[in-house]
Amino acid sequence: MYSSSSSAIADAPLVREPLHAPVAHLVRGGMIEGTHYGSVVVLGADGEVRFQLGDIEAAFYPRSALKPVQAVAMVRAGLPLDGDLLSLAAASHSGEERHLAGTRRILELAGLTEEQLRNVPDMPFDPVVRDAWVREGRLPSRLAQNCSGKHAAMLYTCRLNGWSLEDYLDPGHPLQQAIAEIVEDLTGQRIARVTVDGCGAPLFSVSLHGLARAAARITTAAPGTPEARVADAMREHAEMASGSGRDVAGLMRSVPGLLAKDGFEGVQVAALPDGRAVAVKIADGANRARVPVAAAALGWAGVDPELLTEFQGEALLGGGREVGCVRPVRSLEPVVVPACA
């Protein structure tokens, strides 16, 4: 079983061209039409690697899959949120009205306004919600951008600690330094590189192995700790951490105790309460491969395959009928039955 913090922090992973491997095939009419490359790691409850494919040790950008770690750092720094608002602080939300309302509530608790957010204005992430905004003539906003809950929580954390608000996204800001410290603590390794994420916040590069380790440490932490508070909030309010109909929320509803978080460019991390964890990176960033590969990895981790049947990937259509699918490579399928031959 994991401890809630690492006893030693390893050197940063190497920045190199990742040695990705085939992780999924696009199958049409019984033939492989295309191949998605990537990397996969499965950790056992003891923290040991039970399965790996591709390059799990190269430095990479976890994107929004790192948000639970960022939320833990903010709670450690005094952020008093729980429940739906803490889930929103770790969210890549869909831009539904509940997400906008929740972000406003966080700002109100901090005594701040939307104008103080520094994330990039955007339309809602969910296509149905976005289309409704277009029909109504609504413009991009910072509240609608999928990271607004995290940014509101960052501002609230700064206000509570007396840190400056205008430059809270600067990597040298006390908030970002505190987050970087917890990233290294939970992943067990030094940060390899810092850049800027799509929302404007600092983005820390670790390894896929380190990301899985961090998720496991969050889910195995003692009740009441910042890690456990974040895990409980996200699992109990999965739609606030993502949105209605999102696959990551569906995974958390379907697999008891599972904490799951996705990230742009084909990243997925998930962990169970006993420390079993998986992390996936799809090299070309394809969501159509992320979901079935993550489901297969969870099967490898011992999750009941019956709980994963709806996550085997979307059907491939030809002439309006199903003619194939995206199928994980055979080495990833010791348990989960593929959706197509």
Side-chain angles (χ1 to χ4, degrees):
M1 188 74 77
Y2 282 104
S3 63
S4 61
S5 63
S6 55
S7 57
I9 297 177
D11 291 340
L14 292 177
V15 177
R16 66 185 182 210
E17 181 178 353
L19 303 174
H20 291 308
V23 294
H25 295 307
L26 175 64
V27 178
R28 182 186 293 269
M31 285 180 53
I32 294 175
E33 182 178 31
T35 300
H36 291 286
Y37 282 70
S39 296
V40 181
V41 62
V42 177
L43 303 183
D46 58 359
E48 295 299 313
V49 175
R50 291 289 178 256
F51 177 86
Q52 62 179 306
L53 189 60
D55 195 342
I56 69 169
E57 302 297 354
F60 91 119
Y61 291 124
R63 303 298 299 270
S64 287
L66 201 60
K67 283 178 177 173
V69 179
Q70 294 172 308
V72 168
M74 288 187 278
V75 174
R76 287 196 190 185
L79 184 70
L81 301 178
D82 279 299
D84 61 339
L85 294 185
L86 182 53
S87 183
L88 184 60
S92 300
H93 66 69
S94 292
E96 300 166 29
E97 286 302 323
R98 61 176 155 187
H99 300 130
L100 277 61
T103 301
R104 290 190 192 97
R105 284 164 57 198
I106 296 173
L107 290 170
E108 288 168 1
L109 287 169
L112 302 171
T113 66
E114 178 183 352
E115 287 68 34
Q116 290 168 285
L117 294 169
R118 292 291 181 266
N119 58 318
V120 178
D122 202 356
M123 300 292 280
F125 178 77
D126 184 273
V128 174
V129 180
R130 184 171 60 246
D131 288 348
W133 272 53
V134 172
R135 288 194 301 271
E136 296 164 8
R138 299 172 73 174
L139 299 175
S141 80
R142 298 185 193 276
L143 282 179
Q145 198 270 337
N146 76 89
C147 302
S148 65
K150 178 183 77 174
H151 281 254
M154 285 181 170
L155 283 170
Y156 193 5
T157 305
C158 290
R159 172 55 63 88
L160 291 167
N161 285 278
W163 296 332
S164 59
L165 303 179
E166 296 77 11
D167 59 343
Y168 74 93
L169 297 183
D170 188 313
H173 190 280
L175 170 70
Q176 301 303 335
Q177 291 293 299
I179 290 173
E181 180 181 345
I182 304 308
V183 169
E184 293 187 336
D185 177 29
L186 293 180
T187 63
Q189 60 190 178
R190 300 295 178 193
I191 292 166
R193 188 162 291 178
V194 181
T195 188
V196 182
D197 210 340
C199 66
L203 175 60
F204 305 106
S205 176
V206 294
S207 70
L208 196 67
H209 189 180
L211 178 65
R213 192 161 46 229
R217 285 176 173 150
I218 289 172
T219 58
T220 58
T225 60
E227 293 90 335
R229 285 171 56 190
V230 170
D232 289 345
M234 293 181 68
R235 289 182 294 217
E236 293 169 12
H237 302 275
E239 286 77 12
M240 284 298 275
S242 54
S244 303
R246 294 272 292 279
D247 56 76
V248 67
L251 269 174
M252 287 194 278
R253 288 193 303 268
S254 298
V255 180
L258 185 72
L259 174 70
K261 185 70 187 76
D262 55 346
F264 280 159
E265 298 302 324
V267 182
Q268 179 75 59
V269 67
L272 292 154
D274 64 0
R276 287 174 291 159
V278 307
V280 170
K281 163 64 181 176
I282 305 301
D284 63 1
N287 265 334
R288 70 179 184 182
R290 172 184 59 83
V291 178
V293 170
L298 286 168
W300 250 104
V303 173
D304 183 350
E306 293 296 320
L307 302 177
L308 301 169
T309 53
E310 68 175 286
F311 306 103
Q312 291 179 14
E314 59 191 64
L316 180 66
L317 302 180
R321 62 186 180 87
E322 185 175 339
V323 295
C325 69
V326 177
R327 183 190 71 199
V329 294
R330 296 296 186 188
S331 61
L332 263 169
E333 293 178 346
V335 178
V336 179
V337 178
C340 60

